[in-house]
Amino acid sequence: DTQMTQSPSSLSASVGDRVTITCRASQGISSSLAWFQKKPGKAPKSLIYAASSLQSGVSSKFSGSGSGTDFSLTISSLQPEDFATYYCLQYKTYPFTFGGGTKVEIK
Amino acid sequence: EVQLVESGGGLVQPGGSLRLSCAASGFTFSDHHMDWVRQAPGKGLEWVGRIRNKANGYTTEYAAPVRGRFTISRDDSKNSLYLQMNSLKTEDTAVYYCSRSPSGNILDVWGQGTTVTIS
């Protein structure tokens, strides 16, 4: 199975900060990488697919990059509604695997 | 409006069975691969499995922890997705979400989830 390692596991940031979360795959996955936002009691929300394609309706403050084994999600200017847990997902090979999550908290 | 609505969750004893349903609306259900994802209390997201669309033969894939115990099926005539869960274990306790994957995309729309408790 392809293991996905996210870092950091948590971070504290202020409103207006630029935040970057990274995800590393245990083997090459080309660009088969997605990012999701998860808030407690809510369904996950898809942000990015194919490593850098923005889902329809998602704010352009979210951006993704990378290919092969190293990927990143950047939030250009953190807003109160962005405090949540973020997960990466590889879908190159079965079983699909999520990263462990990055909890973004208010500083 | 594109919508997915799960149902069928509940409290079941270990070793029991449960069938989850996911009702789809607002899009051409038959065109999409469909997935189940779960989140155990205090844990991260875990992919459970997929059923491909008719064009891909309705074939299925499963995560190792559920393979042989869970079965994903669909009824395109009813725009419905199912997850049959047998031989349930306490570690299957989670919120279960269904999600669709259009061609070239992945898990773009999610249901609100249904809670399964094994105790």
Side-chain angles (χ1 to χ4, degrees):
Chain A
D1 297 3
T2 302
Q3 307 304 316
M4 303 303 293
T5 303
Q6 265 183 258
S7 61
S9 56
S10 66
L11 66 89
S12 294
S14 300
V15 172
D17 282 354
R18 179 183 180 90
V19 167
T20 297
I21 298 166
T22 64
C23 193
R24 174 165 288 177
S26 61
Q27 59 187 295
I29 58 169
S30 186
S31 295
S32 300
L33 191 284
W35 290 97
F36 301 88
Q37 179 191 68
K38 181 68 171 70
K39 296 180 179 179
K42 301 291 188 181
K45 177 183 179 182
S46 179
L47 301 174
I48 301 284
Y49 68 100
S52 60
S53 296
L54 196 66
Q55 284 288 5
S56 176
V58 172
S59 171
S60 58
K61 65 183 171 184
F62 294 99
S63 63
S65 65
S67 67
T69 60
D70 294 309
F71 302 86
S72 64
L73 172 73
T74 298
I75 309 171
S76 60
S77 177
L78 206 61
Q79 296 303 305
E81 63 269 22
D82 302 328
F83 291 95
T85 302
Y86 293 84
Y87 294 89
C88 63
L89 168 78
Q90 73 80 21
Y91 55 100
K92 178 67 173 178
T93 59
Y94 294 101
F96 296 164
T97 43
F98 284 94
T102 296
K103 187 173 184 179
V104 177
E105 299 175 301
I106 301 173
K107 181 182 284 184
Chain B
E1 179 192 5
V2 174
Q3 196 170 16
L4 296 169
V5 179
E6 301 93 337
S7 60
L11 174 63
V12 175
Q13 292 184 339
S17 297
L18 204 58
R19 189 195 197 204
L20 306 184
S21 299
C22 171
S25 59
F27 65 99
T28 306
F29 179 74
S30 59
D31 285 349
H32 292 71
H33 302 331
M34 297 296 297
D35 297 78
W36 288 97
V37 175
R38 68 184 181 183
Q39 185 173 35
K43 302 296 185 181
L45 298 174
E46 180 185 22
W47 179 79
V48 172
R50 159 173 284 191
I51 185 164
R52 297 180 179 85
N53 59 15
K54 180 179 180 180
N56 288 275
Y58 298 130
T59 51
T60 54
E61 305 284 349
Y62 297 96
V66 308
R67 194 176 298 127
R69 300 188 298 122
F70 289 12
T71 301
I72 300 174
S73 61
R74 62 192 293 165
D75 185 338
D76 289 353
S77 69
K78 296 182 178 179
N79 290 339
S80 292
L81 173 72
Y82 305 102
L83 180 64
Q84 177 67 45
M85 305 185 295
N86 299 329
S87 303
L88 284 161
K89 306 175 181 181
T90 55
E91 53 264 41
D92 295 318
T93 294
V95 177
Y96 285 74
Y97 299 96
C98 64
S99 182
R100 75 171 194 178
S101 293
S103 176
N105 204 330
I106 183 79
L107 305 180
D108 70 332
V109 175
W110 296 65
Q112 85 290 348
T114 188
T115 300
V116 171
T117 303
I118 311 303
S119 178

